[in-house]
Amino acid sequence: MTTRRTRPAPRPPEGTPPRAELARQARHVLADAVRIARWAAVERGAGAAPGTGPARERAAAALDLTPGQIRAGWDRARLAGLVELHGGTARPGWRLHAWDRDDSAVLRGWVALLDAWSLVHPSPEDVAPGAVAEVVEALPQVLTLLQLSHGPVDVPVLLDLLGQRVEELREERCEVPPAEPAPETQDTPGTDGLPALLDWALEGLAAVGALTLGPGPEARHATLTPLGNWAVWVKLEQICVAAQSPAGNIEQSAEDMLRGCARLTPGPARAEYRAWLAARTLSSAVTELLTVARGEDALLRGLAFEALRVVGAPAEAEVRATVAEPSLRPYALLWLAEYEGADPDDAQEVLTREEATWLWVDTAAAVADHGESALLVRHLDSAVQGTVPALLDEVRAVGHPRTVQVLVALAAAHPDPALAKAVRRAAFQVHTGGE
């Protein structure tokens, strides 16, 4: 995350609104989700998650929304990173804290919701799961056509493209075609149901603010909203929308200093840490860094421990005390192992399998929030599990609050359709609590 490529950022397509306007539109789409997240943050208790049960009724009464709107808004809040659940207790996510002042956090939250649109908009109950998965997998090509068309596209045109893409995906999965056509089953659906599934997908994308649907002279048409057009362009360009680093790191708080160092390579970052530490008493600096590490931003958690490595011995007692905190334990164990002389490349051996998996998800959350999609794909190689199915099984079991968002982002980024499909299925199972 600290060795990103440096290149001029491509200009967005002509007519794209300024980022402030895009963020305003994203805030409008997620307005109810933010209200619900803030209500849950104030309640702050094991019964304050308003997705189900009495909390939903209390939230509906307090916010003047229906229980259905509360359930839908809570789903959006979770998937957009506005809230996190820790053992059933609702806690505000870092994006909620930054919502009113950080346009990049808002846009990334909305993109996370866009990536998870199929979780927010349940598929028709009478449709085979295999057909749903095929449409979700084929939809990026439909969105690309909409983006390149610079205007409305008739739904029949999109349906034709969707059918072609679904057929291509099936051919890619079947290297040797059968001598006779295989009978269609519930898990290998034909194309007769594609019109209904396309309608479902377009309605789901419209529900999260990515496109609009309108009547045409002969058929309905779809048009990307400015937000949807920008998001598809961002994905095509594979660029990062993180905010630029602030200047004057030495005089900043620990959080702002770490954000300012996020784009630096390790050497210059360590120099910044030393300068920042020199301007403070070590005890107050260590306390401030650990406070940031306990926050919701996984990138800052990792960077805080990098800064604590520069502190060295004066930080040992306080770092050792954090071993009892689940969210900090893997970082603290690695810090202590290196402090006691272990080679950084071998320090991972001090972690249990579960701790290593938790750290993998936390690091993936940092990449998903602040990095490029290619980094998230490469992050797969760092997992201790030998296979993707084993990784997914252990990721689901470890209980990290960002698991669903990480899996959705990984599925959206990975170029292998089969792997992306498996990851999306795992995200859905975690989101719904299924097996």
Side-chain angles (χ1 to χ4, degrees):
M1 287 175 286
T2 57
T3 56
R4 299 173 183 156
R5 294 172 297 171
T6 57
R7 59 168 180 164
R11 288 181 173 275
E14 186 176 353
T16 301
R19 287 174 61 81
E21 171 60 20
L22 291 171
R24 186 196 67 77
Q25 295 176 19
R27 288 185 175 99
H28 176 73
V29 171
L30 284 163
D32 282 352
V34 170
R35 291 179 64 205
I36 294 166
R38 286 176 172 159
W39 179 88
V42 171
E43 294 293 312
R44 288 295 282 277
T52 58
R56 184 169 65 192
E57 302 297 331
R58 296 203 313 274
L63 301 175
D64 195 23
L65 297 172
T66 67
Q69 288 172 321
I70 293 294
R71 182 175 59 250
W74 180 248
D75 267 357
R76 291 182 174 211
R78 290 181 60 196
L79 294 170
L82 297 171
V83 292
E84 298 177 359
L85 290 180
H86 295 259
T89 300
R91 290 174 54 182
W94 74 271
R95 284 193 182 122
L96 186 63
H97 294 302
W99 195 254
D100 293 328
R101 57 180 170 81
D102 189 338
D103 288 347
S104 288
V106 172
L107 291 172
R108 282 181 169 273
W110 182 81
V111 169
L113 178 65
L114 174 63
D115 287 340
W117 70 268
S118 60
L119 300 182
V120 180
H121 191 61
S123 60
E125 294 182 358
D126 58 346
V127 177
V132 174
E134 286 180 339
V135 168
V136 172
E137 191 173 339
L139 207 62
Q141 193 157 330
V142 174
L143 291 173
T144 299
L145 174 62
L146 284 167
Q147 199 272 336
L148 296 175
S149 297
H150 305 292
V153 179
D154 288 343
V155 170
V157 175
L158 299 177
L159 179 60
D160 183 60
L161 176 62
L162 179 64
Q164 293 178 38
R165 182 58 182 147
V166 168
E167 290 297 335
E168 289 172 358
L169 292 172
R170 291 177 182 174
E171 290 175 3
E172 291 169 3
R173 289 195 295 268
C174 301
E175 297 180 2
V176 181
E180 296 180 0
E184 292 176 3
T185 68
Q186 188 180 22
D187 292 325
T188 58
T191 57
D192 291 344
L194 282 184
L197 282 173
L198 177 60
D199 286 343
W200 162 72
L202 294 177
E203 290 166 2
L205 291 166
V208 298
L211 55 80
T212 58
L213 291 168
E218 298 180 358
R220 287 199 308 165
H221 61 256
T223 309
L224 287 179
T225 63
L227 264 179
N229 187 69
W230 167 81
V232 176
W233 171 78
V234 167
K235 289 178 181 297
L236 291 173
E237 292 294 330
Q238 295 184 338
I239 65 171
C240 175
V241 295
Q244 296 295 316
S245 298
N249 294 321
I250 294 175
E251 298 178 1
Q252 301 294 328
S253 66
E255 179 176 347
D256 289 338
M257 180 274 294
L258 293 172
R259 290 192 189 280
C261 293
R263 296 181 66 87
L264 300 178
T265 55
R270 282 192 292 271
E272 287 290 311
Y273 301 152
R274 292 189 185 97
W276 184 85
L277 291 165
R280 290 158 179 78
T281 62
L282 284 178
S283 61
S284 65
V286 169
T287 299
E288 193 172 353
L289 288 169
L290 287 174
T291 298
V292 175
R294 293 184 178 98
E296 308 300 335
D297 193 333
L299 174 63
L300 298 189
R301 187 160 28 254
L303 293 178
F305 276 87
E306 288 298 320
L308 289 168
R309 285 178 172 83
V310 174
V311 176
E316 180 190 2
E318 291 195 57
V319 170
R320 196 174 294 279
T322 66
V323 169
E325 301 179 40
S327 65
L328 300 188
R329 178 178 175 83
Y331 294 94
L333 291 175
L334 291 176
W335 190 98
L336 291 168
E338 293 179 30
Y339 172 73
E340 292 167 358
D343 187 297
D345 292 335
D346 300 328
Q348 290 274 348
E349 296 175 3
V350 304
L351 302 181
T352 66
R353 182 81 161 232
E354 183 178 5
E355 289 162 353
T357 302
W358 195 99
L359 182 61
W360 186 91
V361 178
D362 206 47
T363 305
V367 177
D369 285 337
H370 300 279
E372 297 183 8
S373 58
L375 288 177
L376 189 58
V377 173
R378 290 200 295 272
H379 184 57
L380 270 177
D381 296 335
S382 67
V384 297
Q385 292 78 6
T387 66
V388 170
L391 170 65
L392 294 178
D393 286 341
E394 295 187 34
V395 163
R396 284 184 300 206
V398 79
H400 193 288
R402 295 291 302 278
T403 297
V404 172
Q405 294 162 38
V406 164
L407 293 178
V408 168
L410 181 58
H414 206 285
D416 183 340
L419 189 147
K421 179 179 177 181
V423 175
R424 274 195 302 272
R425 185 184 303 115
F428 181 79
Q429 290 169 341
V430 175
H431 177 66
T432 59
E435 294 295 328

